[in-house]
Amino acid sequence: MPKHPYTAIENKQPGTIGCRILYFEEVESTQNIARNLAAEGAPHGTVVIAETQSAGRGRMGRGWHSPPGVNLYTTIILRPKIAMAEVPRLSLVAGVAAAEALEDVAPGIVQLKWPNDVWLNGRKAGGIIAEAVTDRTQQLDSVLLGIGLNLNLAAHDVPSDIRARAISVLIATGRRCDRVAVANSLFMRLNTRYMETVTQGFAAVSPAWERYSGLTGKRVTVVDAGTRAEGIVKGIDADGAL
Ligand code: BTN
C-alpha cells in the first residue's frame, strides 16, 4: 500500500495495536473492510482508517456522521482469547483509551457515558462499537473495534438532527488538533489498556473507566430489552455492567 498520512505511526511490531495500518480515502464503513481483512487472516492489531465513510455505523442500527478531512474513523482487529460474553468489556477498555487520547488535546473536559460514548463538556464527541466475528463452530474469531472521534469538525458542519448532542475537539476547545497524533496516542493507549486487561483482567482497567464516568451519582433510566429500570448510577461492576 502506498504511503498515507498514517504511515508514520505504523509501529510494525507484530502482536501490537497499530502493527499495520491500512488507509482508505472512502469506504462504506471501516467495519466492513476490517471484517473482510479478518476473514483473510489479518493479524491482531491490524488497523483500518478511512478519510470518510458513506455508510458509517453507530450502535443500535444508527448511522455515524463521517465527513472527510476532519475526524478519525478507525476499526481495529483484535484476536482476544475470551468468551463471547466478555466482548462488551473491550468497548469499555477502548473507551478508556479514547478518553486518555482526547485528554491530550482537550484536557479536563473528557468523560465517558456508559457504555460507549465519549463526551466533551457533556456532549458526544466519540463512539465505540465492538462487533464479534465467530468461526464455523460459533467460537469467537475476532473483534472489530470501531472508534469514531469528532476532532476538527466545525460547528456549522454538524448536521441539525445531532447538533444539540454532538461536539468535537475544535468546538469544545476552539483549537484544531493533529489527527495523526491523536490516532497514535489512541493506538498506543489502547495497546497498553488491552494488555492490562489480558494479563490482569478487566479489574485493572475499570478504576480508570470510573474516573472518567460522567454518569456516576446521576439519576438515570436504563431501557434494556423492553424493561425499564430507574436509579442512581454507582459505577460499573467487575463485568463492566452499569
Ligand atoms: C456509536 O456511538 O453509536 C458508535 C459509533 C462508532 C463509529 C465508528 S467510526 C469507525 C467505525 N466504522 C463504523 O462504521 N463505525 C465505527
Side-chain angles (χ1 to χ4, degrees):
M1 185 168 271
K3 275 196 185 302
H4 54 73
Y6 297 86
T7 304
I9 61 166
E10 191 176 61
N11 74 38
K12 295 191 169 51
Q13 291 173 39
T16 69
I17 290 165
C19 54
R20 191 168 171 224
I21 299 180
L22 299 160
Y23 173 80
F24 299 83
E25 285 290 344
E26 180 172 355
V27 297
E28 282 188 351
S29 163
T30 54
Q31 296 295 109
N32 299 350
I33 304 287
R35 187 172 292 268
N36 293 338
L37 288 166
E40 289 164 9
H44 172 87
T46 301
V47 167
V48 176
I49 297 178
E51 193 55 43
T52 181
Q53 302 182 112
S54 57
R57 287 205 293 278
R59 291 174 61 245
M60 307 204 280
R62 298 191 191 111
W64 188 257
H65 182 57
S66 309
V70 285
N71 295 332
L72 178 64
Y73 317 112
T74 183
T75 301
I76 300 121
I77 299 173
L78 303 177
R79 296 200 179 270
K81 294 184 176 41
I82 57 173
M84 198 73 85
E86 294 173 58
V87 171
R89 280 185 221 170
L90 291 178
S91 58
L92 299 183
V93 171
V96 171
E100 289 172 334
L102 285 187
E103 194 73 47
D104 298 343
V105 287
I109 57 169
V110 186
Q111 286 183 313
L112 293 171
K113 181 191 167 211
W114 188 90
N116 290 332
D117 290 357
V118 188
W119 282 353
L120 295 177
N121 287 338
R123 281 155 69 192
K124 184 160 172 166
I128 294 160
I129 190 168
E131 295 179 345
V133 179
T134 53
D135 62 18
R136 263 177 269 135
T137 63
Q138 299 307 309
Q139 299 302 302
L140 185 66
D141 171 77
S142 55
V143 174
L144 311 176
L145 194 59
I147 304 176
L149 296 178
N150 295 340
L151 299 178
N152 297 325
L153 183 69
H156 56 80
D157 288 330
V158 180
S160 55
D161 57 323
I162 57 170
R163 195 161 288 160
R165 288 172 282 124
I167 199 166
S168 68
V169 169
L170 174 62
I171 298 168
T173 66
R175 290 185 301 274
R176 277 175 205 289
C177 58
D178 178 338
R179 289 187 292 160
V180 178
V182 173
N184 190 35
S185 176
L186 174 67
F187 301 143
M188 289 200 304
R189 289 167 187 283
L190 183 58
N191 193 61
T192 302
R193 294 303 190 177
Y194 178 81
M195 290 313 295
E196 279 174 5
T197 309
V198 168
T199 56
Q200 302 163 55
F202 179 64
V205 177
S206 62
W209 196 96
E210 298 276 6
R211 279 196 295 279
Y212 280 111
S213 172
L215 287 184
T216 303
K218 300 245 165 70
R219 175 166 290 279
V220 296
T221 304
V222 179
V223 182
D224 184 25
T227 62
R228 249 175 124 80
E230 219 182 285
I232 309 256
V233 174
K234 283 186 165 176
I236 52 171
D237 69 14
D239 293 328
L242 192 70

